Amino acid sequence: MAKLLKNEFDSLPQYEKDFKVHHLGINKDQIASGVILTSNLERIEMIKDTFQKAKKQGFHREYITYTGVCNDVEMSCMTIGNGCMPTAIAVEELRHIGCYKMIKVGTCYGIDPNLKPGSIYIPLASCRCEGATIEYVNHQYPAICDHKTFMAIMASAKELNIKVTSGICKTHDGLFLESPFAHEGVEERIKPWREIGVSAIDNEVAALYTIASILQLQAGAVYVVTDNLTTKESMDFANDYDARMLEAIKIAELALAKIIKGE
Amino acid sequence: MLFRAKKFTNEKGEMFFTGLKQGDIAKTVLMPGDLARSKIISQCFKKADFIKGQRTYYTYTGVTENDTPISVVSSGMGPLAVSTVAEECVQIGCRNLIRVGTGAALLRDYKPGSIIIATGCVRGDGLSYEYAPKEFPAVANPYVVEALIRAAKEFNEEPIVGLYRAHDAYYRETSTAMIDTFERMKPWIDAGVKMVENESATLFTIGHRLGIRCGSICVSHTSMIEDTAYYQGPNSKVAYPEAFEEGFMEERVLLCAKIAIRATEILQEMEEKGEIV
C-alpha cells in the first residue's frame, strides 16, 4: 500500500460498490469538477434550486450530493455536516473522485465589532484552533484561501453588486464555548483573538483551506455573518436570512463557474 | 484599535534604527534583504534620491515610469531586521511593503531562476510568535499577490504562486547541510511549499497586526533538492547551461525588482478603481 502513495499526504480511495467512495457515497461520474459545499443539510435544497437539471446523486451520512448546471457550467453541490472532521473527509474523498475545486457557503459569527450580522464575509485565511489539520501538519502551516478562488469570489461579489468584507477568521472545534449560546467565559476566550485583528469565528474553514492546500486543490468560502459575539447583535433571521444566504450562494456559484472555466 | 509601538526617534526626530522621518518614504516600499540591492533596485526607478544609509537600512525614494511614488529600504537578513523596517516605516507613512529577494526553491521540478510569489508562509521563524499565537496564519495580502502576478505576466514571466517557508537558522535548512535537511524539508515539500527563505513569515504576521499590505517576490537559482533522488526535473546544468553563466542571478533579481516596481503601479491602479476591498 505504502508504495502506491505518492507522498506523505497522499491517500488511496476506499471504494464501495460501483466505485462509490466510503463516506460520500458517490463515484467520479456523479460529481462535477467543482462543488459548492455547505454544512447544513436542509440548505442543500436552496442551493440545488438555483441549478438547472439538478439531480440527486447520493445521500450517505451527512453527505447529500446534487449535480446540475449553473452559470452555464456543470457544477455539483454537497453537504458536509458540521465541523472539521467531516470536512476533512469531504476534501479527501472529493479529490479521490476527481473534484478539485470547492467553495463553501455557510454562516459564521463576527468578533470584530464592525462586522455586522447580515453582512457577507469572505475568510481570506483562518487560525487553526481545531484538531483535524494538526494531524496533517503542525501549526506553522497557514490555512489560506486559494488565491485564484479568492480573487474570483471578490470579482463575483462586485459583478453582482453585493458588498462583502474579507478578513482573517478563527476555526474552532468547541462550538458551545464560542457562540451566542456558549457557556460562561466566551468574552475571555474571544478577546485575545479580536485584539490581534481576527474578525470572525467558524467551524470548518481552517480544515477546508489547509487540507485543500496540502492536496493542491482550490478552496474558498463565502459566509453570512449571523451574530456578532462582541456586540451581541443578531441578524433578522425571520426576514433577512434567506435573502442573505441566497446572495452568498450566488457569489459562490459565479466564482466557482469562473474557476471551472479558467477565467 | 491601532496597533502601534511608541515612536522611537533620535535627537533629530528620525526613526531610531532606519534614520527615516515622515516624508522620506513613499506609500509603497520595496524591501530587499541585501543592503547592496537597494541602490541597484533604485536605479530601475525613473527617478531616485538617496535618502539615508545606516546599519542595514539603505533607503532611496523616487517615482516609477508612470510617476507613482516608490521607495526601497533594505532590511538586512532575518526577522528582527524585517520587523524593524515594518515597525518604523509604518510610523512614517508606509502602507504597502513588498519583499524582493532570493530564497531556495523546494520544488521537485524547477527551471533555474523562476520567479516565486508568496500567497502565505509557513511560520518556521521565532519572531512572529511574539506578535500572534501559533494558530494564526501568515498570509500575504491578496491584492499585492495579484498585482505581482499581473506585473510578472507583463514581463512574459509565468510566476510560481504558492507558499513559502521562513525559518531562522540558515545552516539548518540549506543544500550544503543535507544530511538531515532533506528529511526536515520533505513534509513541507509534500505539503506544497514552493520556497524556503528567512523573512516572509515575520513580514506577513506583523503586516497584518500593523494593518499594512505585504507581499513577497523571490527568485531561487536552483531547487534545494536537485541532488536528491526525490527530484524529478532535468539536471539544471545540462538543461539550462545559460543559468550558470556569470551575472544570471543578478539579472533575475533585477527582473524581480522590475516586476515589483510595476506591481506598485498596478496596486495603485487597483486602489483607484476600487478593486481593493
Side-chain angles (χ1 to χ4, degrees):
Chain A
M1 184 77 82
K3 275 199 166 160
L4 293 171
L5 299 175
K6 288 191 199 77
N7 70 39
E8 183 153 333
F9 302 106
D10 197 9
S11 65
L12 297 175
Q14 297 175 11
Y15 288 128
E16 303 296 336
K17 190 170 176 288
D18 299 329
F19 291 100
K20 291 182 178 183
V21 280
H22 187 66
H23 298 92
L24 305 189
I26 51 169
N27 65 33
K28 67 177 173 53
D29 299 325
Q30 294 179 288
I31 193 97
S33 63
V35 63
I36 300 291
L37 302 174
T38 199
S39 287
N40 187 330
L41 273 67
E42 284 75 47
R43 196 180 296 135
I44 201 73
E45 298 294 322
M46 197 184 209
I47 301 172
K48 66 106 168 142
D49 284 348
T50 66
F51 283 16
Q52 290 112 46
K53 302 180 210 153
K55 190 167 172 292
K56 195 170 190 170
Q57 305 294 333
F59 184 2
H60 188 244
R61 293 182 183 259
E62 48 264 79
Y63 305 107
I64 308 173
T65 311
Y66 283 86
T67 296
V69 173
C70 183
N71 296 317
D72 302 323
V73 294
E74 196 191 33
M75 198 181 280
S76 297
C77 57
M78 189 176 93
T79 58
I80 56 172
N82 297 320
C84 292
M85 196 269 172
T87 302
I89 289 176
V91 177
E92 291 271 7
E93 294 194 4
L94 282 168
R95 183 180 76 101
H96 291 155
I97 55 175
C99 177
Y100 302 149
K101 299 163 199 294
M102 47 201 81
I103 300 180
K104 180 173 182 275
V105 292
T107 59
C108 68
Y109 304 130
I111 62 171
D112 174 351
N114 298 314
L115 194 55
K116 296 273 178 256
S119 65
I120 293 185
Y121 176 74
I122 316 299
L124 166 66
S126 193
C127 300
R128 292 170 55 206
C129 304
E130 39 68 51
T133 67
I134 313 307
E135 295 188 46
Y136 286 77
V137 63
N138 70 25
H139 275 114
Q140 297 179 2
Y141 196 87
I144 303 182
C145 185
D146 170 65
H147 176 71
K148 279 187 184 161
T149 308
F150 180 85
M151 294 310 290
I153 289 170
M154 298 314 267
S156 300
K158 200 172 181 205
E159 236 175 278
L160 296 168
N161 211 11
I162 301 166
K163 189 178 175 299
V164 299
T165 313
S166 78
I168 295 182
C169 174
K170 167 188 192 299
T171 302
H172 63 180
D173 285 337
L175 174 61
F176 281 74
L177 295 173
E178 293 168 342
S179 53
F181 40 85
H183 292 275
E184 289 286 311
V186 59
E187 173 55 24
E188 291 71 25
R189 288 183 66 95
I190 63 172
K191 188 168 176 260
W193 299 98
R194 189 172 58 225
E195 282 178 350
I196 60 164
V198 172
S199 42
I201 290 186
D202 97 309
N203 305 330
E204 289 92 11
V205 88
L208 177 69
Y209 287 179
T210 305
I211 300 168
S213 171
I214 287 173
L215 300 177
Q216 307 287 295
L217 314 176
Q218 288 180 274
V222 183
Y223 279 154
V224 176
V225 182
T226 57
D227 307 84
N228 189 300
L229 302 184
T230 300
T231 64
K232 311 271 195 295
E233 292 171 322
S234 295
M235 71 181 295
D236 180 353
F237 283 94
N239 298 307
D240 208 23
Y241 179 82
D242 284 0
R244 295 287 84 76
M245 185 52 73
L246 202 59
E247 284 184 345
I249 292 167
K250 294 277 182 199
I251 293 170
E253 288 173 345
L254 186 56
L256 186 60
K258 285 179 194 287
I259 297 289
I260 291 173
K261 285 188 239 171
E263 279 173 12
Chain B
M1 118 203 60
L2 205 58
F3 180 71
R4 288 288 179 272
K6 291 187 187 78
K7 203 165 178 174
F8 184 38
T9 54
N10 62 18
E11 65 286 352
K12 286 184 269 180
E14 298 162 342
M15 300 306 296
F16 190 80
F17 294 101
T18 57
L20 299 170
K21 56 186 188 305
Q22 191 78 37
D24 278 349
I25 55 166
K27 188 170 79 177
T28 302
V29 174
L30 308 187
M31 184 179 63
D34 183 344
L35 284 59
R37 282 191 196 128
S38 255
K39 187 177 183 183
I40 296 167
I41 292 172
S42 76
Q43 286 164 349
C44 300
F45 298 173
K46 187 164 89 177
K47 185 173 86 60
D49 294 320
F50 175 65
I51 305 293
K52 192 92 183 175
Q54 64 180 42
R55 294 178 185 255
T56 52
Y57 315 109
Y58 279 73
T59 302
Y60 293 80
T61 292
V63 293
T64 67
E65 275 312 311
N66 75 4
D67 294 320
T68 305
I70 189 168
S71 293
V72 56
V73 182
S74 61
S75 58
M77 291 187 284
L80 194 146
V82 164
S83 72
T84 305
V85 172
E87 287 276 15
E88 291 206 344
C89 286
V90 74
Q91 301 258 18
I92 52 170
C94 169
R95 290 298 168 262
N96 306 314
L97 188 53
I98 304 175
R99 162 164 155 72
V100 180
T102 55
L106 286 179
L107 292 152
R108 297 176 75 177
D109 187 358
Y110 180 73
K111 185 181 172 194
S114 299
I115 306 278
I116 307 182
I117 296 168
T119 54
C121 192
V122 171
R123 289 172 62 195
D125 70 327
L127 191 146
S128 72
Y129 294 84
E130 298 185 43
Y131 281 78
K134 64 180 189 299
E135 295 88 349
F136 188 86
V139 57
N141 181 279
Y143 303 102
V144 174
V145 176
E146 186 64 19
L148 287 167
I149 294 171
R150 288 187 201 173
K153 287 184 175 167
E154 288 183 19
F155 284 86
N156 289 321
E157 282 289 323
E158 194 53 55
I160 297 163
V161 181
L163 297 179
Y164 285 7
R165 166 175 168 79
H167 71 115
D168 293 345
Y170 177 84
Y171 278 103
R172 293 295 293 137
E173 294 184 3
T174 181
S175 55
T176 58
M178 241 356 187
I179 281 187
D180 74 337
T181 305
F182 176 65
E183 284 67 34
R184 203 176 150 113
M185 302 317 288
K186 187 175 173 293
W188 303 118
I189 300 164
D190 285 350
V193 175
K194 314 290 185 205
M195 171 175 275
V196 57
E197 46 91 273
N198 310 93
E199 286 82 14
S200 293
T202 304
L203 178 64
F204 299 164
T205 309
I206 280 203
H208 169 81
R209 298 240 34 210
L210 295 175
I212 56 176
R213 301 186 197 111
C214 294
S216 291
I217 181 166
C218 288
V219 61
S220 172
H221 191 199
T222 54
S223 178
M224 188 203 266
I225 58 166
E226 188 174 330
D227 294 330
T228 70
Y230 208 53
Y231 193 71
Q232 291 174 336
N235 180 305
S236 60
K237 285 200 175 81
V238 176
Y240 308 103
E242 68 280 7
F244 295 85
E245 284 166 19
E246 208 184 312
F248 173 80
M249 270 303 274
E250 285 75 6
E251 205 175 289
R252 298 304 291 177
V253 172
L254 209 57
L255 177 65
C256 263
K258 286 175 185 166
I259 291 169
I261 294 166
R262 175 63 189 132
T264 301
E265 298 176 344
I266 295 173
L267 204 55
Q268 185 61 32
E269 288 158 21
M270 287 167 83
E271 201 163 348
E272 281 161 12
K273 280 192 217 152
E275 279 182 55
I276 298 179
V277 182

